[in-house]
């Protein structure tokens, strides 16, 4: 079970890191031109960058506390926060008719739920 939780956390951290770096450092205009990134053209640049920073923090929070043995309770807290973020992403993509991306975000949400559940019990 512990190995499965580490794999799930590593995968989700990689997703969060990639999304965070992209949203934080790629210009909003370039993001808006990419499939699934059209929503970034409808919101402010500060909002997109804030989401990017939150995703970078999530990447760290899913792995580092447990790896370092310092405040491991932050892992399930981060996973729950990621679930909230994915709920917002599913709503956004659903409103735009991007249902394939809704399913992708649902998979990320399920992975985070597994991590939150597994690290609490």
């Amino acid at each position: 079970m512990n190995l499965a939780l580490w794999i799930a956390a590593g995968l989700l951290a990689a997703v969060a890191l990639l999304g965070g770096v992209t949203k934080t450092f790629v210009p909003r205009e370039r993001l808006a031109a990419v499939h699934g990134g059209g929503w970034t053209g409808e919101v402010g640049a500060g909002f997109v960058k804030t989401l990017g920073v939150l995703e970078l923090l999530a990447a760290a929070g899913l792995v580092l506390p447990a790896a370092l043995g310092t405040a491991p309770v932050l892992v399930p807290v981060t996973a729950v926060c990621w679930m909230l973020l994915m709920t917002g992403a599913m709503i956004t993509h659903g409103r735009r008719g991007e249902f394939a991306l809704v399913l992708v975000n649902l998979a990320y949400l399920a992975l985070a739920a597994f991590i939150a559940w597994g690290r609490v019990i």
Side-chain angles (χ1 to χ4, degrees):
M1 177 70 160
N2 192 43
L3 179 60
L5 287 167
W6 274 108
I7 291 170
L11 287 172
L12 204 55
V15 167
L17 183 63
L18 179 63
V21 167
T22 303
K23 288 179 187 81
T24 303
F25 299 110
V26 174
R28 185 174 61 119
E29 295 75 26
R30 277 190 56 202
L31 290 175
V34 176
H35 172 68
W39 64 271
T40 59
E42 302 168 0
V43 298
F47 180 73
V48 175
K49 296 221 182 290
T50 300
L51 287 178
V53 170
L54 289 174
E55 289 182 12
L56 291 173
L57 291 172
L62 287 166
V63 176
L64 291 180
L68 299 175
T70 305
V73 71
L74 291 178
V75 174
V77 170
T78 302
V80 169
C81 291
W82 183 263
M83 291 167 62
L84 295 172
L85 191 65
M86 289 302 100
T87 301
M90 289 188 309
I91 291 168
T92 299
H93 289 298
R95 286 182 178 165
R96 295 179 51 81
E98 301 167 337
F99 299 110
L101 294 173
V102 171
L103 293 176
V104 170
N105 293 132
L106 182 61
Y108 295 154
L109 187 146
L111 206 54
F114 171 68
I115 295 166
W117 171 78
R119 290 296 179 202
V120 169
I121 61 163

